Amino acid sequence: MATMTLSKILLLAFAFFFTYIEGRVHGKTKPNHLHIVSLISLPPAPAPAPGPAPARAPQAASPSYYTDSPTPGPSPNLVRSLANVYNVLSFGAVGDGDTDDTQAFKMAWDTACFQNEPAILLAPDDYSFMIQPTVFTGPCKTSLVFQIDGTIMPPDGPESWPSKTNKRQWLVFYKIDGMSMQGGGVIDGRGEKWWNLPCKPHKGPNGATLPGPCDSPVAMRFFMSSNLTVQGLEVKNSPQFHFRFDNCQDVTVQMLSIKSPPRSPNTDGIHIENTNNVQIYNSVVSNGDDCVSIGAGCHHVDIKNITCGPGHGISIGSLGIGNSRACVSNITVRDSVIKRSENGVRIKTWQGGYGSVSKISFHNISMETVRNPIIIDQYYCQTKNCTNQTSAVHISDILYTSIKGTYDVRSPPMHLACSDSVPCTNLELAEIELLPAHGQFVADPFCWNAYGAMQNLTIPPISCLLDGIPQYIGQNTIDQCQDNLY
């Protein structure tokens, strides 16, 4: 009798546990009736327009992360998670790569976002989901995980894009606080048809552009959001920037693989603008533009263990376009590899801007056949018609240490072209060893109005640096961005 009673108790306990788990995981079965109407809001303002074997040479110390592609972090065991799981298949998604699954993602987002406890929005593996241009709006009631284990993709090219929809962005995450986008899946931007628009630089003769519509979407844009993590994903072939963060705070990006062809125009890997307290770690970027680009209004950014190239290197800028103000400070780039790229570590500003770039550190960077491994360009211009102007963003307190490797002999190993009217000041260089990738001739660095010092002997020597601090920089220029320095 006692044995029978115990058996009944165990059976009831198992049934309760199974019912509890079944209730917390919204699985792959589709509901018979869908009456939910998405509460997703209208998009925010559009994103601004963007804009043979090498010779043996001394190398910077290898970073701890040095592989051709990152290993995505393992997907969490969703059944064991304490969070509710909202599988987009349960909201009507098909996942065949052709069917429009936008509404299913919107409804899953709205449902997860309005929960009072942590939630997971799941795009499961073995499915490919086509999503139209969409804004996922917060704030949500609690933290949210967007788990991408399958593939998500936009419509295939300009002709498939909704006619009355903004063509400058695909997926936007707006006013989100506390979200992780992660998984072992793929974000495929399907960018080839956008790259081949007649207006793109490589389509006209000698790199010229041809008339015609030119707007192309950023794949993933985060706008006015905070406490964000993006990790573990493969992201490829965006029509324009792969990731863009505007007006965001406290962002961590890590263990990403970002890839697009070397001639894909304006396909920056990660771009940040007016975004602060950022960590970009342990990722591989190969594309047709900057691997990482830092725009105006950014400070306290740490970039570590990035393998970059082919591409255009890691850039601060461009800054000061259209006589605008730009303040950038407290940026560190360290323990990284740049290979077969048009630039290495770069600061680029337009003539006519104002503000400052200061407290920048480039440390322990390995260069492999890179044009312009170290470059400051205060005459940045995308046409041949830029006029000379007297104002400029002030560049100061820039530290280059342990930058070693080989450079492409088409350009000098160091190019420090500072403004005529606002010189660069306090440039410091130490442990620089840059040798030609081909041949034995070591080119001289180029300097213009660049003030600074070598802390020890560099290869090649930088005899063109000017000593001291120029006396004619106006104090108003230097003080314009003091609020951003600390």
Side-chain angles (χ1 to χ4, degrees), residues 315-382:
S315 294
I316 296 174
S318 59
L319 304 174
I321 187 171
N323 305 108
S324 61
R325 180 176 187 259
C327 298
V328 176
S329 66
N330 291 285
I331 312 294
T332 300
V333 181
R334 56 194 171 114
D335 305 333
S336 295
V337 175
I338 301 177
K339 53 187 180 181
R340 300 187 303 278
S341 291
E342 289 296 307
N343 303 285
V345 290
R346 173 168 60 159
I347 301 173
K348 52 180 176 176
T349 72
W350 295 78
Q351 293 189 72
Y354 64 105
S356 72
V357 176
S358 64
K359 298 186 182 299
I360 313 297
S361 173
F362 300 107
H363 172 69
N364 192 34
I365 313 292
S366 176
M367 302 286 179
E368 300 179 14
T369 317
V370 174
R371 293 188 72 174
N372 305 305
I374 296 172
I375 176 170
I376 294 175
D377 181 7
Q378 293 214 263
Y379 301 88
Y380 184 72
C381 178
Q382 293 181 325

Side-chain angles (χ1 to χ4, degrees), residues 8-24:
K8 289 180 178 179
I9 292 171
L10 290 174
L11 183 60
L12 287 170
F14 175 79
F16 173 80
F17 176 75
F18 180 80
T19 303
Y20 172 78
I21 291 297
E22 185 179 53
R24 293 185 72 84

Side-chain angles (χ1 to χ4, degrees), residues 43-57:
R56 296 180 62 86

Side-chain angles (χ1 to χ4, degrees), residues 228-413:
L228 303 171
T229 299
V230 180
Q231 60 184 359
L233 294 162
E234 177 185 349
V235 189
K236 64 181 183 179
N237 298 332
S238 178
Q240 203 193 64
F241 298 171
H242 289 76
F243 285 95
R244 179 174 181 129
F245 297 86
D246 288 285
N247 298 89
C248 294
Q249 306 284 332
D250 302 312
V251 176
T252 297
V253 178
Q254 61 185 356
M255 298 189 72
L256 295 184
S257 172
I258 300 176
K259 296 181 180 179
S260 61
R263 289 181 61 82
S264 56
N266 302 118
T267 52
D268 294 43
I270 301 165
H271 177 78
I272 61 175
E273 192 101 11
N274 295 305
T275 293
N276 309 311
N277 302 320
V278 180
Q279 299 174 329
I280 302 174
Y281 295 157
N282 307 334
S283 296
V284 173
V285 185
S286 172
N287 60 354
D289 212 301
D290 297 327
C291 293
V292 180
S293 55
I294 300 169
C298 295
H299 58 83
H300 295 94
V301 178
D302 188 26
I303 300 171
K304 180 181 179 181
N305 288 353
I306 303 299
T307 298
C308 167
H312 291 185
I314 297 174
S315 294
I316 296 174
S318 59
L319 304 174
I321 187 171
N323 305 108
S324 61
R325 180 176 187 259
C327 298
V328 176
S329 66
N330 291 285
I331 312 294
T332 300
V333 181
R334 56 194 171 114
D335 305 333
S336 295
V337 175
I338 301 177
K339 53 187 180 181
R340 300 187 303 278
S341 291
E342 289 296 307
N343 303 285
V345 290
R346 173 168 60 159
I347 301 173
K348 52 180 176 176
T349 72
W350 295 78
Q351 293 189 72
Y354 64 105
S356 72
V357 176
S358 64
K359 298 186 182 299
I360 313 297
S361 173
F362 300 107
H363 172 69
N364 192 34
I365 313 292
S366 176
M367 302 286 179
E368 300 179 14
T369 317
V370 174
R371 293 188 72 174
N372 305 305
I374 296 172
I375 176 170
I376 294 175
D377 181 7
Q378 293 214 263
Y379 301 88
Y380 184 72
C381 178
Q382 293 181 325
T383 69
K384 295 182 179 180
N385 301 318
C386 295
T387 58
N388 289 329
Q389 300 189 52
T390 55
S391 64
V393 176
H394 180 221
I395 296 175
S396 65
D397 300 311
I398 316 297
L399 178 63
Y400 302 92
T401 57
S402 191
I403 298 179
K404 303 178 182 182
T406 59
Y407 65 92
D408 186 317
V409 296
R410 291 176 294 171
S411 300

